């Protein structure tokens, strides 16, 4: 047969699994990220991230449920709406999101979104190591200077005591040998 086929999604009986997920909107620090296909994000330390997503499916998409987790975690956290908010980003992360139909069948396709967070230099590991090294060097320098100061004071005290001993000996000799 030749012609046009049509169907009514609301009348379909079989509940299909969502075939995938797409990010419908992405907001970083209150600003929309303009991109039709977001596969990775770069943000700055301390910024907020708000993700809106939706499942690709034809049968009652409003009944889909969503879950998310960070890559490496075992437990999925369920969501009441297709939105995920990270109020303060402090480190790199990879977000995984999945969808389930009304029957609870989870899609095989998991949306994975790596988020790279640029940290300021003062929070970088190399800077922290440098500061610790500087503090250790400063403590060592202060210790050496104080040690030198104590030694010099001891040398002066020893020289002073030696001079007093010489004067006392000279006075004692003068008493013993008056002429």
């Amino acid at each position: 047969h030749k012609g046009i086929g049509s169907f009514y999604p609301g009348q379909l009986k079989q509940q299909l699994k969502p075939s995938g997920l797409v990010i419908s909107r992405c907001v970083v620090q209150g600003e929309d990220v303009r991109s039709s296909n977001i596969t990775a994000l770069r943000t700055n330390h301390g910024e907020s991230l708000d993700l809106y997503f939706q499942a690709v499916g034809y049968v009652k998409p409003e009944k889909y449920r969503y879950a998310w987790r960070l890559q490496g975690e075992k437990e999925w956290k369920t969501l009441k709406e297709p939105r995920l908010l990270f109020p303060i980003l402090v480190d790199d992360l990879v977000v995984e999101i999945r969808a389930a139909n009304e029957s609870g069948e989870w899609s095989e396709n998991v949306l994975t979104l790596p988020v790279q967070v640029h940290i300021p230099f003062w929070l970088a590991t190399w800077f922290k190591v440098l500061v610790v090294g500087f503090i250790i060097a400063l403590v060592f320098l202060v210790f050496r200077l104080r040690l030198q100061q104590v030694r010099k004071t001891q040398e002066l005290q020893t020289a002073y005591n030696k001079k007093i001993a010489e004067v006392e000996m000279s006075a004692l000799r003068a008493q013993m040998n008056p002429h």
Side-chain angles (χ1 to χ4, degrees):
H1 296 297
K2 293 182 181 179
I4 298 175
S6 67
F7 70 96
Y8 297 100
Q11 294 178 349
L12 291 174
K13 302 284 189 235
Q14 183 181 4
Q15 192 67 316
L16 302 174
K17 291 181 187 178
S19 59
L21 284 159
V22 292
I23 296 174
S24 56
R25 185 174 174 215
C26 177
V27 180
V28 175
Q29 201 63 17
E31 303 265 336
D32 272 329
V33 174
R34 302 280 183 215
S35 178
S36 59
N37 187 15
I38 298 172
T39 56
L41 282 174
R42 294 182 76 151
T43 65
N44 291 319
H45 182 269
E47 291 185 337
S48 64
L49 173 63
D50 204 354
L51 292 173
Y52 297 84
F53 43 87
Q54 65 187 62
V56 178
Y58 302 105
V59 181
K60 299 181 183 176
E62 69 278 357
K63 300 277 186 176
Y64 289 157
R65 294 181 309 151
Y66 300 92
W68 75 281
R69 69 179 178 188
L70 295 178
Q71 194 173 57
E73 292 180 354
K74 292 183 181 181
E75 296 294 319
W76 289 89
K77 299 164 196 81
T78 57
L79 296 166
K80 294 182 179 182
E81 58 182 308
R83 177 183 179 218
L84 192 54
L85 173 66
F86 295 95
I88 298 174
L89 294 171
V90 293
D91 205 1
D92 295 348
L93 52 98
V94 178
V95 181
E96 296 177 334
I97 306 168
R98 66 181 183 172
N101 61 16
E102 189 177 14
S103 308
E105 296 178 75
W106 292 99
S107 63
E108 285 97 28
N109 296 334
V110 174
L111 174 66
T112 303
L113 180 68
V115 180
Q116 184 180 21
V117 179
H118 178 265
I119 59 172
F121 74 91
W122 61 86
L123 292 176
T125 303
W126 64 266
F127 184 77
K128 290 176 182 177
V129 169
L130 188 67
V131 167
V132 168
F134 178 75
I135 290 171
I136 290 171
L138 188 63
V139 167
F140 180 73
L141 181 65
V142 167
F143 176 75
R144 292 227 357 154
L145 288 174
R146 179 68 182 134
L147 189 61
Q148 285 178 348
Q149 189 179 28
V150 167
R151 283 184 182 156
K152 190 170 185 170
T153 302
Q154 284 179 344
E155 286 174 7
L156 288 173
Q157 185 69 37
T158 303
Y160 178 73
N161 289 341
K162 189 175 178 183
K163 198 70 150 163
I164 290 209
E166 286 175 8
V167 169
E168 286 177 351
M169 274 305 261
S170 158
L172 189 60
R173 277 192 215 123
Q175 284 179 353
M176 302 219 14
N177 189 7
H179 297 16

